[in-house]
Every structure is written in structure tokens, then in C-alpha cells.
Amino acid sequence: MADRKMKTRRIERRYHFSVIHLSVIHPSVSFLVMLCVGVLLCPLNAQQAADDPPQEPSPEQVAALAEGKAMYRGLCSGCHGGSGRGGKGPNLTDDRWLHGDKDEDITRVIQKGVPKTTMKKLGESLKEEQIAKIIAYVRLLGRAPTDNNWHPYLAGDAKLGQQLFFDEKAKSQCSKCHTVNKQGGRVGPALDRIAVRRSPEYIMESILQSSKFIDPQYEAVQVVTDEGKVLKGLRVNESNFSIQFREEDGRFHSFLKRDLDEFQVLKTSLMPDNFAEQLTVKQLHDLFAFLLSLE
Amino acid sequence: MTKSLSLRSISKARVGTGVTPLLFIALFVGVFGCSQQAAEEARRQAQVAQEEAQAAATEAEQLRQELDELKKETNEPATPEPAAPVATDDVEPVGPVDDEDLLAARDNNANWLMYGRTYDSQRYSGLNQINKENVSELLPVWTFQTGVLDGFECSPLVIDGIMYITTPWNHAYAIDCKTGSQLWHYEKSLPENLALCCDAVNRGFAVYGENLYMSTLDAHLVCLDKNTGDEIWDTAITAYNEAGEEEQDIYKMAYSATVAPLVVKGKVIIGISGAEYGIRGFIDAYNAENGERDWRFYTVPAEDDDADHAKEALKSWGENSWLTGGGSAWVTGTYDAELNTLYWGIGNPSPDFNGEVRKGDNLYTCSILALNPDDGTYKWHFQNSPHDVWDYDGVNTPVLVDIEREGQPIKALIQAHRNGYFYCLNRENGDFIYGKPFCEVTWTDRTQGADGLDPKTGRPFVSPDALPTEEGVRVCPGAAGGKEWNPMAYHPGTGLAYVPVIENCAKFTSGKAFFIKGQPYWGSSLTLIDGEAKGALRAIDAVTGEIKWDKPTRSPMVAGVLATAGGLVFTGDAEGFLTAYDADSGDDLWHFQCGSGHHASPITYTLEGKQYLAVCVGWGGWTAGFAGDGAPWLRDGRRGNTLFVFALPN
């Protein structure tokens, strides 16, 4: 027990999370608008720093991206959202491209519009190079902000991490709730392309402090029925009058709220928050390496 | 004319019941019956039924004429007293709708003759058959699927047993109120590549005489024969292009029209859309007979306009910014016949979020305009949000109510504005009475003056911390404001306005504003704060602006509201439930899942003496935009295309 506590402290010391306003650093990415977690650097050894020189974009790239951003915001954000995650128009940050995912497909859609929808033609208004800049910015919206300076302090083994992820007997139990390549449980979010969609620090934080940020689509609820039975599960749907949720064992429930004695949306994630204790430091980094390989 | 007469007769109870269903069964058997004999028999029965129906119709017509004679003799009022709203099947048909019908719409409980039901747009019906005691028994009686998806924002009209609806993409239908059967269908031929910021929507018809009027997405006004759906005329709304020439196809300049027209004294009045694209807004009046334009009022003034008000307004636009100044007027206004005044809510300036390129107050954007409906001349204005930079597109309906404050009767105008304030003005002169926040508001400086508004003038004290920046700043209300376009209702019995509220905040950014003709002109963007968008239905005392009750909801409330003498308030939510609330307490007394989110306004009417409730259901419009960040649980919100009609069981 004492060992375990020491280890937890050790990991938390290594990954000392500090809260910063990410919006100041990266205004375009609103997923972490309110608060996000940055990580204080652990000392890197010289070799690692030489292997991974920080990639500074050229002034031209910076200017092109800024132009793309201005055009995106002025012309596209009304329907696709300031964050690109859609709304009236489709989400541009996920993997689903209804009209093709290549640059030329997206260019075509921007130039010609989509008939029978409110997606207008922009071909007569924008030059191809301008469209390319918009696409580059949209691609960026689909990526989590990366702080090139941040690395885990151990290089993990992605192969071992993969085994750990799917090992039903391991303490991690990841695949019980998460899928990768359609394998695994469907309680939590699928983790395909997670390395592109989320920053490394966000992923590490999600493992170590699972309740810090819960996607509204993966919130847990707890109800007390009129017979006094307490049930807890992942919310599938909620309206003003009813709640539908699925227990961890997959059992589905639907209740009218007025028939319940109590109803609450839990502030804690269904995901355990004790992986720092359950896994060895090596295991944690293997798992992390595996997740970071999912591009 | 004969057609509408016979329909009217059939809609009468003593004729319709029994005979028409038999006719349908007979026809059905006739067409699909297995044996020749059965078909023969069915045909014979159908013929008999038809003959019976004709005889009954003739008899009904005779009865009606006799009744008319009787009424003339006894001088009885043609419509039932509002205090006794139990309608009977003796309700006099409206026939061709004239000015008197429109002015008397309040007492005409059987029909729904204009967008807001009455010229004051209270959306209040004197019907009380459906009431607090029995509303829990309400059941659907028929549905009508239009087959046209996207935001269904129509407020239907009901005239003499026939319902008239418009759909997204400018289709329109006439529907038999008794059976839900389609009587005619109209589809406007639309060009491609329309500029539609907020979905391909339409908010409904106006009626005058035997004609219906619909504004269209390509910025036309069409007139249809209400008996056949035939197009009588189609007028292109025109505007001046950058060369100063009058242009016909103004959809190419990103103008569009979605508003339900308002007819005042033979003039069809509409407002234009397009302020997300740098148009220059206006309100137009067209001759109901021939579609010729009678007058135009520019909501953004021009240099060559000599009127005093326009010269003043022009001073509120830096440099040439008025040329692309926005100021749409896409929600139906209201009218006070006694004061002969038309009231209209004017939307946001262009570009939305970058105020640097349009220095000044930007009149008459985000204002309430009072005009003379005869010639479109200016009477007064009240600007709710001078120099708006948050897209508080103040088109919200200016509802006309008569209230009493400190013993003084006041002809008031109330408006739940997108900027988060509930306003009360004197509608005779535009004087500010009060403005109270009805949702979280952070764009005003609340340390100055009561609630952040100048108590004398109502002008807001804008908080400098709320101005959009390149990095973005969190401001409430956020996208779509504290209340979308969808109309509130006012119940004269409770004195309460029932306001569908959006509780949300957004990060507003300001950026380069580059104008490209026909393309969005936003001057940057907004992003809703993650997972924080929710809503409420709030009852607000029209005399004081105080919130009397508050029903929080999971998602923003973006459907219209109906209040009735049955002590009820009806509205729908984003998850698809249509709900009846107790008008006094806000308790929910009944709800029904309609299968798609609500974005339209329920209406009520009678047929053969029985009260019905109707609502168009189909998620869409700009508010689908909440799903991106603010209310991600609405992602993949299903669009819909269904009209529901409810009644109490027999």
C-alpha cells in the first residue's frame, strides 16, 4: 500500500499538471476553451532534444495559416462553427467527409458548393490558393493543439501498449470500454485517431485524472427509482422529461423523470481514476505510446 | 369560388359526418377491392353517398342562407363573444379575407388569419375547450408529411376549415382540416446557389381576399390563389447594385426572403434577409392586387436620401459602411390600427463581429422602427443595441399590449430582444419604459445604471471587456442571443409574456472584414462555450419585466409559443416534445414527442365546434448550430417535415 502511494506521488510529481488558459495560446481550438491543462516540462536529456528539434513553422506558413483562419472565420464559420465542429453545417474536424477527404475533393466542394443544400459556391469569389489556405486551416482545426516541447519522460513501447490495451486480464481494462479499430467495448469514446484529435498532454491527463474534463456526450448519470433502487450508467439520451442510460454491464434503462425520486448528472467520469496506482510507470508509458501511434 | 363553397359546406358537421367517411371507404373498396362484384357494389354505394352528400350540401347551404336571414333580422353578432369561446358549427365562414376580418381576428376563434394571429401578434387564442383540466388527454388526430426537410418554421393559417402552410425551399400546401388530406401543392422554382445564412426556411403565408402571399428564398414575393394554389403573380424584389443600377436577380447579391408577410389595408408588407452577407436592408409594401411596389423604407440610409431621419441616420455610419450595412427585417412586424402605425424589429449590422469598419451607432440596425403603413414614412425608432458587435440580430417581434403602470394606462410595445433584455416601450412615441435582462447578460456594464441600461433612454452601457478581440472574449448571451426569432406569446388574462429563452455564452472573435459580393460578411466568428447551451421557458410580467416563473430546459428553447384562454401555454423543445404548460405556474401538464426538434409556432382553431392544436415540426434553421459546441447532444439532430394536429378525444 505504501509502495503504491509513493508511486502515485512519483507519477504525479513527474506529470505535475498546472491549469492554464489555453485560449490565450491557441484561440482557434475551443474544445479546451474554458480551461485546459498544460504540463510542466520534465527535464529532457540532450539526446532526446537533438532527436526532436522543435519545428518552427516558417513566416510564410504562419502568414498563410493566418489568412486561412481569417477566411475560414469570415466565410465558413457561420455554418461550420468557429471551432469547425459544425452545427448547421457538417463537422469538419471528424473523420467523416461526405464528399471526399482529399484536398482536391474539399477544393471542389468549396468551389462548386453542394446543390440542394445551403453550401454556396465560392469558386467565383476565391482563388485556388486562397482555398488551399482555408483547407490548411480546416485541417488544423481537426488537430488538437500540440506543444512541441512536451514529451513523456519515458519512451514507451507502442506494441506492448497495444497488448495492454486489449488484455482483458490486465489492470488497465481499456478495451472493456473503448474501441480502437472497432475492437473493444462501447461505453466510452472510440479512440481511433486520438493522437491527431487530442494533444499528448490531454491524453495523459485523461488517463490520470479522468473526471477533469468529461465530454457532455459521455457523462454519467445516477437515478434513484421510486422503489429506492440506485442505478448508475452512461447517458445515452436526455430530454426535459426523460432519461435513457446504459449501465456498465450494458443494461439499458429509460425513465420518465417525474417517476424518479432522484436524478443527477455525475461530476465524476465512469472511467476509473486510479491508473497511476494500478499500472507501473513502464506500463503507463507503453499505453501512452500506443495511443500516440493512433494517427 | 364554387369549389371553396362546397368545401365549406362539407366541413359542416351535420353534412360531413357519416357521409364523407363512407365515400372514402367506398372509393377505397372500389379501387382495391378483390372481386368485380364488390367493386360494382362499392361504386354504386359511392354514387349514392355522393348524391346524399350533394343533397346534404344543398340543404346546408339553404340552412346557412336561412340563418343569415335570421341573423340580419335579429342583429346578432356574426362571431361568438370572446368570453364564451365554445365554438359551434354555426361559425360564419370568413370567405374572402378583408380588412375587417383581419382587424377582428382576435374574436375569430375558429380561424387563424395571420402570422401572429392578430395584428398585435400576441399569439393568444380565446379558445378554452382544451384547458388545464383536460389537456393531459390531448391526442394527435392526423399528421401531414410535406416531404421537404430542413428547418420547418411555418406558422400555419386556417381559413374556413382549410389549413395553409409553407415549407423550407418554398413549397406550399393547402390541407383539409378535417382529414389532413392535401388539397393542392405549390413549389417555387428556385435558382441554384442561393445565399442562405440560416437554412432554406420560410415562416408562413399572409392572406388577403382569395389570395395567399409568400416571400421566397430568391427574394421574390409570390401571390397564389388560395383555392387552387395557382400562381397569380410573382414579383422580383429589386435592389441597387454597386454600379447604382436596379437589379432583378438580387439573390446573386445575397438578398433572400423568408418572412411571413403582413397585410395592412391592401398592402403586402415584407422585410428582407441577408445581413450576414453585407446587403442593405429594407421593408417593402406591395399592392396586394397586382404585386407592384407601393413603398420602400431602407433600414440603412443612403447618401441621396433627403428625409430628415435618413440624414440623421447616415451620420451613424463611418465612411461608406452604409453600402454594406446589413439591417435585415426578416420577422413579421405588428400593426396598431388606431395609431395607424407599423412596428418592425430590425436586425444586425454587417459585418457582424467587426465594428471597426462601420464606426458609429449604425442606425437603424438592432432597432425597433415605427412607420406609417400607408406610405412607409418614418415615425420613430428605438435602438436597442447601438453599434452591435455580437450579432444580436434584433428582429424579434414587437408585441403590442395595453398595460397599466402606476395607475396610468399605457399603449405599450414589448419585445424580448436577442441582446438578452426584455423591453417595454410606449408605442405611441417610442419612449423607453423599462428594459430588464431575462437571461445571463455580460455585454453591458451593470455597475452603471439599472441593469446596464440608461434608465431614461434605455441606451446600453456597453462593457469594454465584452468587445470581440482577435483572441476571443467570452460574452453572454452568445450565438442567436438570449432569444431567437421564434415568437413569444402574451396572455392578457395573466398579464404575462411567455418567452422561449436561450441560455448560452460564446467566445466572440473579431478579425479581418473583407467584403466579397454575395459571400458571407461576418468579420470573424463566434464559438459557443462547450456544452453550456441550455434554455428555459420564462413567464415575464409585462408591467414590470419581472420573471414570474421559470422552467429550465436541457437545450435552448427555439420554438414559438401559444397562449390560450384554457390557462395554457404551448411550445416545443429541441428534443421533439410539444408541451402544455400551466400559464399561471409553469407546471408541465402534457407533452408529446413529435419526432424532430421544434422550431415553429403552434396555433389553435376550431372545426365543427371542436378545438384543435396544430404545429409544424422539423429541426433546422440556424439554431441547429448549437450542436457544434454548445449543445453537442443535439449533434445529428434529425430534420423533420411533419405537421401535427391534436384534439381531445370525442
Side-chain angles (χ1 to χ4, degrees):
Chain A
M1 196 64 191
D3 268 7
R4 191 172 281 172
K5 271 188 184 157
M6 257 177 66
K7 198 177 76 185
T8 307
R9 272 202 298 276
R10 205 165 64 229
I11 292 178
E12 286 185 349
R13 204 164 53 239
R14 288 283 195 183
Y15 295 112
H16 176 76
F17 295 105
S18 69
V19 177
I20 56 167
H21 286 272
L22 198 83
S23 55
V24 175
I25 296 174
H26 212 299
S28 64
V29 180
S30 70
F31 192 84
L32 309 170
V33 159
M34 286 293 292
L35 298 170
C36 190
V37 170
V39 173
L40 283 190
L41 288 179
C42 297
L44 296 171
N45 64 42
Q47 186 57 45
Q48 209 171 344
D51 286 348
D52 265 316
Q55 292 170 354
E56 286 291 326
S58 69
E60 291 79 24
Q61 281 172 311
V62 172
L65 218 48
E67 206 185 320
K69 176 163 128 183
M71 284 188 288
Y72 173 85
R73 287 183 168 183
L75 297 168
C76 319
S77 70
C79 296
H80 297 288
S83 67
R85 286 191 289 152
K88 184 182 161 289
N91 185 347
L92 303 179
T93 65
D94 60 11
D95 270 341
R96 294 170 59 205
W97 290 93
L98 298 170
H99 309 284
D101 62 354
K102 299 195 174 54
D103 281 6
E104 58 257 40
D105 299 324
I106 303 169
T107 303
R108 190 185 63 241
V109 169
I110 294 175
Q111 283 176 332
K112 302 200 163 158
V114 181
K116 306 277 176 208
T117 73
T118 53
M119 175 74 197
K120 272 199 94 188
K121 283 182 208 190
L122 279 143
E124 288 155 20
S125 307
L126 296 178
K127 297 189 196 92
E128 213 156 308
E129 71 213 50
Q130 289 177 302
I131 293 174
K133 286 171 187 166
I134 294 177
I135 294 172
Y137 181 67
V138 168
R139 300 271 192 213
L140 184 79
L141 285 175
R143 299 185 74 94
T146 48
D147 181 343
N148 284 317
N149 294 322
W150 190 83
H151 290 276
Y153 72 95
L154 286 179
D157 183 330
K159 270 247 159 65
L160 291 174
Q162 183 173 14
Q163 282 167 21
L164 189 64
F165 186 93
F166 288 108
D167 185 350
E168 284 172 21
K169 289 186 186 123
K171 285 178 175 169
S172 49
Q173 295 284 308
C174 306
S175 65
K176 192 176 160 196
C177 298
H178 295 282
T179 58
V180 168
N181 276 333
K182 313 230 182 267
Q183 284 178 46
R186 296 179 185 278
V187 179
L191 298 179
D192 301 280
R193 279 184 78 249
I194 189 71
V196 178
R197 294 187 285 123
R198 295 281 183 266
S199 66
E201 54 268 49
Y202 184 94
I203 298 171
M204 185 56 99
E205 188 224 16
S206 298
I207 298 172
L208 294 177
Q209 289 171 279
S210 57
S211 295
K212 194 136 192 177
F213 181 86
I214 309 170
D215 186 318
Q217 284 184 292
Y218 292 96
E219 278 174 336
V221 295
Q222 182 171 294
V223 304
V224 181
T225 67
D226 54 357
E227 292 160 341
K229 207 168 164 187
V230 181
L231 297 168
K232 195 162 98 170
L234 187 77
R235 177 172 57 195
V236 179
N237 179 59
E238 184 189 341
S239 70
N240 292 323
F241 309 105
S242 71
I243 175 73
Q244 290 79 34
F245 61 94
R246 190 166 274 130
E247 285 187 280
E248 216 176 315
D249 64 6
R251 193 175 304 182
F252 175 79
H253 296 277
S254 176
F255 290 102
L256 289 177
K257 286 181 182 173
R258 65 168 178 227
D259 294 340
L260 293 168
D261 279 359
E262 249 179 63
F263 164 71
Q264 59 170 316
V265 179
L266 298 174
K267 300 246 182 294
T268 49
S269 170
L270 283 181
M271 179 161 151
D273 59 358
N274 59 350
F275 288 114
E277 296 171 28
Q278 295 293 320
L279 303 178
T280 67
V281 176
K282 169 84 170 67
Q283 281 177 321
L284 197 61
H285 285 83
D286 290 345
L287 192 60
F288 193 57
F290 169 59
L291 294 172
L292 285 186
S293 74
L294 300 174
E295 290 193 351
Chain B
M1 199 60 205
T2 37
K3 185 178 176 182
S4 63
L5 251 183
S6 65
L7 276 167
R8 233 176 265 158
S9 317
I10 286 171
S11 76
K12 290 186 177 288
R14 62 190 83 157
V15 182
T17 21
V19 178
T20 13
L22 188 63
L23 194 72
F24 276 107
I25 294 163
L27 278 173
F28 180 81
V29 174
V31 174
F32 297 104
C34 311
S35 75
Q36 185 75 25
Q37 237 178 347
E40 201 55 45
E41 176 62 17
R43 236 171 269 142
R44 202 185 54 77
Q45 276 185 15
Q47 204 182 348
V48 172
Q50 205 172 7
E51 279 165 17
E52 274 176 21
Q54 266 166 8
T58 319
E59 194 194 324
E61 187 55 31
Q62 280 168 358
L63 273 170
R64 198 178 68 79
Q65 280 168 8
E66 279 170 31
L67 198 73
D68 283 354
E69 290 298 319
L70 210 70
K71 272 185 186 159
K72 269 180 207 154
E73 280 168 29
T74 53
N75 256 343
E76 268 176 16
T79 46
E81 293 291 328
V86 181
T88 69
D89 50 349
D90 287 335
V91 171
E92 186 78 356
V94 177
V97 178
D98 59 19
D99 294 328
E100 267 180 49
D101 292 321
L102 294 175
L103 287 167
R106 169 172 292 273
D107 296 339
N108 190 340
N109 287 312
N111 298 288
W112 190 287
L113 297 179
M114 66 180 98
Y115 176 74
R117 192 174 134 69
T118 44
Y119 274 133
D120 53 25
S121 217
Q122 292 182 359
R123 290 189 173 269
Y124 168 78
S125 164
L127 293 173
N128 64 5
Q129 277 182 19
I130 300 169
N131 54 48
K132 289 185 199 184
E133 279 68 47
N134 60 21
V135 68
S136 63
E137 296 165 35
L138 215 52
L139 288 172
V141 288
W142 53 262
T143 66
F144 182 90
Q145 298 188 24
T146 67
V148 191
L149 291 170
D150 289 328
F152 201 178
E153 300 187 353
C154 171
S155 187
L157 301 184
V158 173
I159 307 154
D160 298 338
I162 300 175
M163 192 180 303
Y164 302 93
I165 61 165
T166 66
T167 76
W169 300 103
N170 297 132
H171 289 245
Y173 295 90
I175 306 162
D176 171 26
C177 285
K178 182 157 186 161
T179 61
S181 309
Q182 176 181 318
L183 303 178
W184 54 253
H185 168 226
Y186 167 84
E187 180 182 1
K188 173 87 163 83
S189 164
L190 291 170
E192 276 189 9
N193 204 33
L194 295 163
L196 308 170
C197 73
C198 309
D199 214 353
V201 299
N202 187 275
R203 296 187 195 84
F205 276 126
V207 64
Y208 196 64
E210 291 287 346
N211 296 344
L212 295 166
Y213 304 91
M214 170 167 67
S215 70
T216 64
L217 296 170
D218 56 347
H220 283 228
L221 178 65
V222 295
C223 171
L224 309 181
D225 180 334
K226 87 183 206 297
N227 300 307
T228 61
D230 291 342
E231 200 174 280
I232 296 174
W233 49 257
D234 174 355
T235 296
I237 301 166
T238 62
Y240 293 100
N241 63 21
E242 60 270 36
E245 298 150 343
E246 192 174 18
E247 203 160 309
Q248 296 272 327
D249 294 332
I250 63 170
Y251 70 89
K252 290 178 182 164
M253 293 151 72
Y255 287 84
S256 60
T258 58
V259 67
L262 183 75
V263 176
V264 176
K265 295 187 268 184
K267 290 180 169 59
V268 187
I269 301 169
I270 57 162
I272 201 75
S273 307
E276 269 59 56
Y277 301 83
I279 60 125
R280 186 174 155 234
F282 49 79
I283 299 169
D284 277 355
Y286 294 85
N287 182 309
E289 278 294 307
N290 56 27
E292 281 170 24
R293 197 167 86 205
D294 282 338
W295 54 256
R296 167 168 292 182
F297 183 92
Y298 279 104
T299 58
V300 173
E303 272 172 343
D304 59 357
D305 194 334
D306 287 334
D308 288 343
H309 74 88
K311 281 193 226 158
E312 260 324 287
L314 189 66
K315 290 181 196 158
S316 69
W317 291 90
E319 295 174 15
N320 282 331
S321 55
W322 59 272
L323 280 165
T324 53
S328 315
W330 50 277
V331 169
T332 313
T334 50
Y335 167 62
D336 184 325
E338 209 177 299
L339 300 171
N340 195 34
T341 306
L342 179 71
Y343 304 90
W344 215 281
I346 310 302
N348 59 285
S350 299
D352 302 51
F353 306 115
N354 183 336
E356 286 301 301
V357 298
R358 47 170 175 84
K359 291 203 166 76
D361 279 357
N362 308 135
L363 287 166
Y364 298 99
T365 64
C366 295
S367 303
I368 297 165
L369 269 173
L371 306 176
N372 181 333
D374 299 329
D375 53 10
T377 47
Y378 170 91
K379 287 199 170 188
W380 55 258
H381 79 274
F382 174 85
Q383 191 172 33
N384 311 70
S385 279
H387 192 73
D388 167 65
V389 284
W390 303 278
D391 191 13
Y392 294 147
D393 188 358
V395 291
N396 311 78
T397 315
V399 177
L400 312 183
V401 299
D402 292 334
I403 57 169
E404 206 179 284
R405 266 171 78 94
E406 291 149 8
Q408 294 293 311
I410 300 173
K411 286 180 186 299
L413 175 159
I414 52 174
Q415 185 195 39
H417 197 277
R418 286 211 193 192
N419 69 15
Y421 284 88
F422 187 90
Y423 288 91
C424 182
L425 309 178
N426 182 325
R427 72 173 183 267
E428 293 187 77
N429 50 26
D431 284 354
F432 174 73
I433 297 174
Y434 68 77
K436 297 261 185 219
F438 62 87
C439 61
E440 189 181 357
V441 173
T442 65
W443 64 276
T444 50
D445 183 351
R446 308 288 274 278
T447 60
Q448 289 193 61
D451 296 316
L453 305 181
D454 184 314
K456 281 212 174 69
T457 63
R459 190 183 172 92
F461 300 114
V462 172
S463 166
D465 298 337
L467 298 174
T469 60
E470 169 72 24
E471 292 76 31
V473 55
R474 183 184 198 266
V475 181
C476 319
K483 176 181 165 290
E484 246 275 52
W485 65 271
N486 44 293
M488 63 182 189
Y490 172 78
H491 193 306
T494 62
L496 301 174
Y498 301 94
V499 183
V501 179
I502 302 169
E503 280 287 2
N504 77 133
C505 305
K507 189 179 76 172
F508 289 82
T509 62
S510 178
K512 199 174 152 194
F514 45 91
F515 178 74
I516 307 170
K517 188 180 101 177
Q519 298 297 356
Y521 187 44
W522 290 63
S524 209
S525 69
L526 59 71
T527 303
L528 279 153
I529 308 298
D530 256 337
E532 280 191 13
K534 45 191 190 294
L537 182 67
R538 298 203 168 120
I540 298 178
D541 186 335
V543 176
T544 61
E546 275 170 41
I547 295 170
K548 289 291 178 187
W549 55 254
D550 178 13
K551 290 294 283 185
T553 54
R554 172 149 161 81
S555 304
M557 289 297 267
V558 293
V561 185
L562 165 71
T564 73
L568 297 172
V569 175
F570 293 93
T571 193
D573 65 28
E575 287 83 12
F577 286 99
L578 177 67
T579 303
Y581 297 87
D582 184 322
D584 295 306
S585 65
D587 292 344
D588 59 275
L589 303 175
W590 168 85
H591 51 259
F592 183 85
Q593 173 57 263
C594 295
S596 179
H598 288 260
H599 203 24
S601 312
I603 64 151
T604 188
Y605 60 93
T606 65
L607 182 70
E608 296 165 4
K610 190 176 163 87
Q611 185 183 356
Y612 292 84
L613 176 76
V615 66
C616 295
V617 187
W619 189 237
W622 193 86
T623 41
F626 286 117
D629 302 285
W633 52 90
L634 298 176
R635 265 177 215 162
D636 300 318
R638 299 170 320 284
R639 294 178 297 165
N641 65 341
T642 305
L643 165 73
F644 282 80
V645 173
F646 300 89
L648 294 170
N650 284 322

